[in-house]
Amino acid sequence: MKPLRIALTKGRLEKDTIGLLEQAGYDCTAVREKGRRLILPIGNGEIEVVLAKAADVITYVENGVCDLGVVGKDTIMENGRSFYEILDLGFGKCRFALAGKEGTDFYSGYNEKTIATKYPNVTRFFFEGKGMDIRIIKIEGSVELAPLLGLSDAIVDIVETGSTLKENGLVIIEDNVAPISARLIANTASLKLRKNEIEELANKMEAEKNKAIVKS
Ligand code: PRP
């Protein structure tokens, strides 16, 4: 039987997921010592880890070349189309927020506001909910720069500790846009064809997640 393939978002979510898988009893030595390799076996080789960028995790899972994926809810909200979200993994917690320069009143005046963001779909949806017309400028990273440079009136971005905003003189205008955490997602066909294996892995991950919640 070919290994169950799980695509992990490279970086912090990868580390947390590997930690969880190790607690669940899977040998992850190959990932710990990966060097520049991108496809790695874990456990007894019954699972294969694929390391990818967040949006690509979704692409691989949707197209069925990976059975499972670990990706943030932020990426799902921005790019998600057709797959199952089977488990909230409880780590990678942060939230979407609308933020702007300290001392400015975002909602004052009638002019159309410009919002910089890495998440244009999330931003559009948020302002549609308010019935507000805005102009969106897509930025690839360090979105905090846009209002500081005068490119936008505000940003929609993820906030974890709030220190990036604070250190750059920005304040939260609203942070009830959406709560975020890492999710385990599954390809729709894989979930039918490899139901038992997927359930076994998801159950073990959920059990370890719950233990971590009890401890903290
Ligand atoms: C994210 C986000 C903020 C920062 C928030 O950026 O875009 O800039 O983290 O974290 P904090 O509230 O704990 O300060 P990331 O580190 O992913 O880099 P990027 O903006 O270059 O994508």
Side-chain angles (χ1 to χ4, degrees), residues 99-101 116 142-155 170:
K101 267 166 83 172
S142 300
V143 182
E144 294 83 359
L145 281 169
L148 298 178
L149 297 176
L151 181 66
S152 74
D153 297 295
I155 60 172
L170 302 175

Side-chain angles (χ1 to χ4, degrees), residues 4-194:
L4 196 66
R5 256 197 204 145
I6 178 165
L8 303 190
T9 301
K10 282 197 275 187
R12 208 163 41 82
L13 293 190
E14 167 197 335
K15 288 196 184 73
D16 287 341
T17 311
I18 293 302
L20 193 66
L21 288 169
E22 282 179 334
Q23 282 159 22
Y26 294 96
D27 178 1
C28 296
T29 315
V31 184
R32 296 257 179 222
E33 298 170 356
K34 63 180 187 282
R36 301 290 296 168
R37 284 171 68 202
L38 298 169
I39 304 181
L40 301 132
I42 65 162
N44 299 318
E46 74 274 30
I47 300 175
E48 212 165 59
V49 161
V50 173
L51 300 175
K53 282 200 91 164
D56 299 336
V57 166
I58 291 184
T59 303
Y60 292 134
V61 171
E62 277 188 336
N63 286 283
V65 295
C66 290
D67 304 291
L68 294 167
V70 173
V71 67
K73 184 70 178 174
D74 54 326
T75 309
I76 293 176
M77 287 173 68
E78 183 63 24
N79 304 288
R81 290 169 293 257
S82 49
F83 50 80
Y84 285 113
E85 195 181 304
I86 53 178
L87 185 62
D88 181 345
L89 292 166
F91 51 74
K93 278 195 178 155
C94 52
R95 59 204 192 276
F96 273 120
L98 172 68
K101 267 166 83 172
E102 203 168 359
T104 57
D105 182 2
F106 175 75
Y107 289 112
S108 71
Y110 293 100
N111 59 320
E112 188 183 60
K113 301 290 191 282
T114 300
I115 310 294
T117 187
K118 276 187 281 187
Y119 302 89
N121 293 329
V122 170
T123 301
R124 193 172 304 111
F125 186 75
F126 174 67
F127 282 101
E128 269 171 17
K130 292 177 172 296
M132 221 174 129
D133 283 334
I134 48 145
R135 186 164 81 98
I136 295 173
I137 297 183
K138 172 96 193 284
I139 297 288
E140 294 300 328
S142 300
V143 182
E144 294 83 359
L145 281 169
L148 298 178
L149 297 176
L151 181 66
S152 74
D153 297 295
I155 60 172
V156 167
D157 197 18
I158 51 174
V159 175
E160 190 185 353
T161 61
S163 32
T164 311
L165 291 179
K166 199 165 172 224
E167 288 184 27
N168 290 290
L170 302 175
V171 290
I172 290 172
I173 300 163
E174 279 185 48
D175 64 352
N176 59 350
V177 183
I180 297 163
S181 57
R183 308 297 159 105
L184 181 66
I185 61 169
N187 171 266
T188 46
S190 297
L191 202 53
K192 292 193 187 89
L193 298 170
R194 308 191 72 167

